[in-house]
Amino acid sequence: DAKTTQPTSMDCAEGRAANLPCNHSTISGNEYVYWYRQIHSQGPQYIIHGLKNNETNEMASLIITEDRKSSTLILPHATLRDTAVYYCIVRVGWNTDKLIFGTGTRLQVFP
Amino acid sequence: GAVVSQHPSRVICKSGTSVKIECRSLDFQATTMFWYRQFPKKSLMLMATSNEGSKATYEQGVEKDKFLINHASLTLSTLTVTSAHPEDSSFYICSARGRRGDNEKLFFGSGTQLSVL
């Protein structure tokens, strides 16, 4: 199972871009990278996922390196409500649904 | 997006009693649901995979007789914590697959905070 490594915590000023890195050096060719976030005492919220190409949606952008060994989640204009724990997850197996959570990055957005 | 409803959001019970937590997919059918638990300031830990119409698959170290899972319909899975003890106090979260395909997303319930006195 591919494992992920994320910084324990990060700070970001409100209105600035938050760039959250993730290393997944043992990822397999058919494994997707998923990002979820969890606001205190709530269930995780899906943000974005990708395989090889960079992805963008209304919440964030996902940049995956060409060798797929790392990725970066970008919140273009962070707000105080983006304060949460962000999890980078590599999907276990290509035809299973299991998501194994690592320790995540605690993002604190300050005014 | 798909909605997963979890009930109750919070429960307090006495040691030795059993507690049932419900997880419902509101606008889609979920053949597979997942149950996680989370301790304070820790990450989510997968407990088991709930399969509609068949036995649940438990992760290593999770007692199946302690955490009973029933997935009797395509929209409902239940987790029963039997003979609960204070060490079972935790945040329990369910998730369900939104739709088929490689790009499927897992949607999560809002969680249940269990406190065993």
Side-chain angles (χ1 to χ4, degrees):
Chain A
D1 301 342
K3 295 182 180 178
T4 62
T5 305
Q6 299 176 254
T8 303
S9 63
M10 294 181 66
D11 290 338
C12 178
E14 189 177 20
R16 303 296 293 269
N19 298 289
L20 291 86
C22 179
N23 287 323
H24 32 79
S25 58
T26 59
I27 191 171
S28 299
N30 53 13
E31 289 182 312
Y32 286 79
V33 179
Y34 282 77
W35 283 84
Y36 281 78
R37 72 179 182 185
Q38 186 180 25
I39 297 171
H40 182 64
S41 297
Q42 296 183 25
Q45 176 190 22
Y46 168 84
I47 301 174
I48 200 167
H49 75 281
L51 182 63
K52 296 185 215 178
N53 300 322
N54 298 336
E55 302 287 345
T56 296
N57 63 20
E58 64 279 4
M59 290 183 69
S61 295
L62 174 61
I63 307 298
I64 302 174
T65 58
E66 193 169 341
D67 62 8
R68 302 187 70 240
K69 293 186 177 181
S70 65
S71 61
T72 300
L73 178 74
I74 301 172
L75 307 179
H77 305 287
T79 70
L80 297 179
R81 288 180 294 181
D82 291 323
T83 293
V85 178
Y86 287 77
Y87 295 99
C88 168
I89 304 162
V90 173
R91 190 165 133 191
V92 177
W94 87 280
N95 62 348
T96 70
D97 301 314
K98 290 203 292 188
L99 292 181
I100 305 299
F101 286 78
T103 54
T105 296
R106 186 172 297 276
L107 175 68
Q108 179 69 51
V109 181
F110 56 91
Chain B
V3 177
V4 175
S5 174
Q6 192 172 336
H7 178 80
S9 59
R10 181 178 295 272
V11 58
I12 301 173
C13 70
K14 293 182 179 179
S15 186
T17 61
S18 295
V19 175
K20 180 185 285 187
I21 302 170
E22 293 186 349
C23 180
R24 294 180 185 274
S25 56
L26 295 186
D27 54 356
F28 64 99
Q29 293 182 332
T31 56
T32 305
M33 292 184 177
F34 302 89
W35 287 96
Y36 293 81
R37 70 185 298 183
Q38 184 177 33
F39 293 107
K41 298 188 178 181
K42 298 293 184 181
S43 186
L44 286 77
M45 184 189 77
L46 180 65
M47 299 176 65
T49 302
S50 171
N51 302 297
E52 188 269 334
S54 64
K55 291 183 179 180
T57 303
Y58 290 82
E59 296 299 304
Q60 190 172 11
V62 178
E63 301 176 59
K64 61 180 181 180
D65 295 330
K66 175 73 172 177
F67 300 100
L68 299 179
I69 292 174
N70 185 284
H71 194 156
S73 77
L74 287 172
T75 59
L76 174 64
S77 175
T78 60
L79 169 68
T80 301
V81 183
T82 62
S83 186
H85 292 285
E87 57 266 30
D88 298 324
S89 297
S90 187
F91 192 54
Y92 293 87
I93 309 169
C94 70
S95 70
R97 185 174 64 190
R99 60 177 181 268
R100 294 188 177 280
D102 285 345
N103 292 337
E104 58 205 32
K105 309 165 190 174
L106 283 185
F107 297 93
F108 287 80
S110 54
T112 297
Q113 182 64 52
L114 170 63
S115 299
V116 184
L117 305 178

